[in-house]
Amino acid sequence: MLFIIPYQKVYAASVSQLFHDAIHAITDDVYSLPQRQAWSKAPRSHYYWHKRLSNSQTWLMIDDNQLEQGRAKCCGFINVARDYKNLGYIEHLYVHSDYQHQGIARCLYLCLQEWAVEQGFPRLSVDASKLSKSLFLQQGFKLRHRSYQEKSGQVIMGFLMEKVLDEKRLEPRREPQV
């Protein structure tokens, strides 16, 4: 059975492997092999992931019918920044390739959104990949513009998207003066 749980340190290595594997399961027609290798050359250390996920609000989708190292398998994760500068920015949403197209990303997102509303976040934002763009559009996000990230000499295209959660809490957006 699948469950959403708050992030736990014992899953840091699983998250690292899931992140790497999910990126490398993407087909060449979406992101090229050089782009995927730049995005994730190899799984990062569990220390890196634990530190990163501990500094945000993170949820895991686990499958207690599949055990890895004596615990339920991590099959997806999502996290959102809670610091003032990046408040409401969704940093990661990844689902293991064996679990895709089962509604896991949507469930993880809805859990995050419910928490963000409870916390009084005025908006959520995300740099969505080509693959996750449709999920965020279905959840009411609006496209602000295309985004481009350079990693190891490769340009990876995405989409900066935003969803307003509470109009009353929004601060006026400061647009650059030309």
Side-chain angles (χ1 to χ4, degrees):
M1 185 172 248
L2 299 175
F3 296 97
I4 295 177
I5 63 168
Y7 168 73
Q8 297 173 14
K9 183 179 182 177
V10 296
Y11 282 101
S14 298
V15 165
S16 177
Q17 191 65 53
L18 187 155
F19 174 83
H20 179 74
D21 291 348
I23 289 167
H24 286 275
I26 298 170
T27 59
D28 285 338
D29 61 320
V30 179
Y31 291 106
S32 70
L33 179 58
Q35 287 174 318
R36 295 190 314 267
Q37 289 173 333
W39 197 340
S40 179
K41 291 179 184 148
R44 298 200 63 170
S45 74
H46 67 277
Y47 173 79
Y48 167 87
W49 279 103
H50 176 63
K51 187 174 179 182
R52 182 153 191 160
L53 298 179
S54 295
N55 289 324
S56 63
Q57 189 65 35
T58 306
W59 295 269
L60 310 174
M61 180 70 78
I62 59 168
D63 181 354
D64 69 353
N65 290 326
Q66 299 288 322
L67 298 181
E68 285 185 344
Q69 300 172 347
R71 63 184 159 269
K73 179 178 183 170
C74 177
C75 53
F77 74 101
I78 192 169
N79 73 312
V80 63
R82 54 184 184 212
D83 61 296
Y84 179 76
K85 183 181 176 194
N86 299 306
L87 186 69
Y89 178 74
I90 299 170
E91 297 176 334
H92 300 97
L93 173 55
Y94 290 90
V95 175
H96 189 285
S97 60
D98 292 343
Y99 291 84
Q100 291 182 4
H101 308 290
Q102 297 178 33
I104 290 171
R106 182 178 163 278
C107 288
L108 285 165
Y109 168 74
L110 291 173
C111 179
L112 180 152
Q113 178 180 278
E114 180 180 337
W115 179 86
V117 168
E118 288 171 1
Q119 301 303 306
F121 283 28
R123 70 171 59 94
L124 294 172
S125 62
V126 65
D127 270 306
S129 70
K130 294 176 186 178
L131 293 174
S132 65
K133 178 185 174 192
S134 64
L135 168 79
F136 289 108
L137 286 171
Q138 290 168 6
Q139 297 307 314
F141 279 73
K142 304 292 183 215
L143 177 64
R144 292 204 46 221
H145 58 77
R146 286 186 181 187
S147 61
Y148 301 89
Q149 296 181 34
E150 189 274 329
K151 296 176 188 253
S152 301
Q154 294 292 314
V155 176
I156 301 170
M157 190 191 82
F159 305 91
L160 182 60
M161 304 178 79
E162 183 177 86
K163 179 177 182 177
V164 173
L165 299 177
D166 186 347
E167 293 272 348
K168 292 177 247 159
R169 292 181 168 265
L170 285 177
E171 292 180 21
R173 186 178 301 285
R174 294 190 182 142
E175 298 298 332
Q177 299 296 315
V178 183

